[in-house]
Amino acid sequence: MFKRIQSILLLALIATAAKAELPADYQVVVLTENFPPFNMSVDNKNFAQEANITGINSDIVREMFKRAKINYNLTLRFPWDRIYSQVLSQPNQAIFSTTYTPAREPLFKWVGPLSNTGWVLLAAPGSDIRLTSLEQARQYRIGAYKNGSVSQHLEDKGLEPINALKDQDNVAKLLRGEIDMWATTDPVGPYWAKQEGVAGLVTALRFNDAEQFLALNKDTPDEVVKRLQSALNQMRADGTIDEIRRRYL
């Protein structure tokens, strides 16, 4: 009887191991956008592949897939709205840098965090706008990035941001007076402003701290998520993530 139980347990273990194996040709399509300094093309264009993509989170994701021994294909595209919708609907696809929010939690499988960021309302240089809460922002025209986590958060709070297809477009809109404040991510917003030759933007409000993740389509095998998260945890423990950040910041 004991030998029979042993045989059953052995078969169960073998079956479990077999389920954990991925097909030899398995590959994850990984998508991202220009979101410096976390992910960006080397030539600042809105399309790039593989080695032509750089940034903190790009390097983290590459090393993570390498350690997890999972094949992937990395592409940077524009706009975020399109690739975000694509990953929602296509199995074995993933997108970063995706900010985790409770509203998004059931939409994907998550690996992270890759990096931490803050959400801010930026006003034009010399502005005297200073806020102590997001509620006070209702009287102002706020520019944001279409379907980005910051914009979605504002909409969830009942605000009506004026969305742009490119986050950096809000720099010019702010200077032209078309918006009163720009809702964006720190340090991404100041980086884009610097690229546009603009300095001295005023932080009117810092209203959230957030974490960036790799978000995978819900039909992605759990084994993929498990391996990637384990690799990321190892990278954080051995100092690899800190080393990558020092390259850019």
Side-chain angles (χ1 to χ4, degrees):
M1 180 67 176
F2 179 70
K3 288 185 178 181
R4 183 167 179 268
I5 293 174
Q6 280 187 315
S7 297
I8 293 172
L9 289 174
L10 180 60
L11 288 172
L13 288 172
I14 292 173
T16 301
K19 288 180 182 177
E21 291 298 322
L22 298 172
D25 61 349
Y26 182 81
Q27 183 181 73
V28 179
V29 174
V30 183
L31 300 173
T32 190
E33 61 162 348
N34 273 314
F35 188 61
F38 300 107
N39 24 277
M40 50 196 170
S41 61
V42 296
D43 57 6
N44 291 321
K45 293 184 178 179
N46 284 318
F47 178 81
Q49 291 181 299
E50 304 300 342
N52 290 320
I53 302 171
T54 187
I56 296 170
N57 289 347
S58 299
D59 289 355
I60 290 173
V61 167
R62 283 193 182 93
E63 180 65 18
M64 190 168 63
F65 272 90
K66 178 182 176 181
R67 294 192 186 195
K69 297 182 179 179
I70 296 174
N71 296 323
Y72 69 97
N73 180 285
L74 177 59
T75 301
L76 181 149
R77 294 184 184 276
F78 171 83
W80 172 264
D81 186 52
R82 183 177 70 182
I83 61 174
Y84 180 89
S85 297
Q86 178 177 325
V87 174
L88 276 173
S89 62
Q90 297 295 322
N92 302 314
Q93 296 202 10
I95 186 170
F96 73 95
S97 299
T98 311
T99 300
Y100 172 87
T101 66
R104 285 177 169 178
E105 195 279 333
L107 303 179
F108 299 96
K109 291 182 178 179
W110 300 84
V111 173
L114 306 176
S115 297
N116 298 315
T117 61
W119 292 351
V120 291
L121 291 178
L122 299 178
S127 172
D128 60 358
I129 299 176
R130 300 292 188 278
L131 308 179
T132 58
S133 70
L134 197 55
E135 182 65 27
Q136 295 175 342
R138 293 184 182 277
Q139 61 183 301
Y140 297 99
R141 297 166 300 166
I142 301 173
Y145 183 25
K146 184 178 181 181
N147 217 25
S149 57
V150 182
S151 177
Q152 290 178 343
H153 180 78
L154 295 180
E155 290 169 352
D156 288 343
K157 295 296 183 182
L159 281 77
E160 299 180 357
I162 302 168
N163 289 314
L165 286 178
K166 293 195 294 184
D167 203 19
Q168 58 267 46
D169 288 348
N170 286 303
V171 178
K173 293 171 71 174
L174 191 63
L175 296 182
R176 291 196 299 262
E178 295 175 11
I179 55 176
D180 301 310
M181 289 183 292
W182 171 23
T184 186
T185 302
D186 181 33
V188 179
Y191 177 92
W192 281 127
K194 183 178 179 180
Q195 295 299 109
E196 299 293 323
V198 177
L201 294 181
V202 174
T203 301
L205 177 69
R206 187 180 183 96
F207 60 97
N208 196 32
D209 290 309
E211 295 178 320
Q212 298 173 343
F213 281 69
L214 175 75
L216 300 106
N217 179 273
K218 286 186 65 175
D219 291 333
T220 303
D222 288 339
E223 175 66 13
V224 172
V225 179
K226 178 182 176 182
R227 286 195 206 176
L228 290 172
Q229 187 65 58
S230 178
L232 182 64
N233 293 346
Q234 182 187 64
M235 291 166 61
R236 182 167 289 109
D238 66 21
T240 300
I241 290 179
D242 289 338
E243 180 184 344
I244 290 172
R245 289 182 62 84
R246 283 195 292 269
R247 297 176 196 165
Y248 296 92
L249 299 177

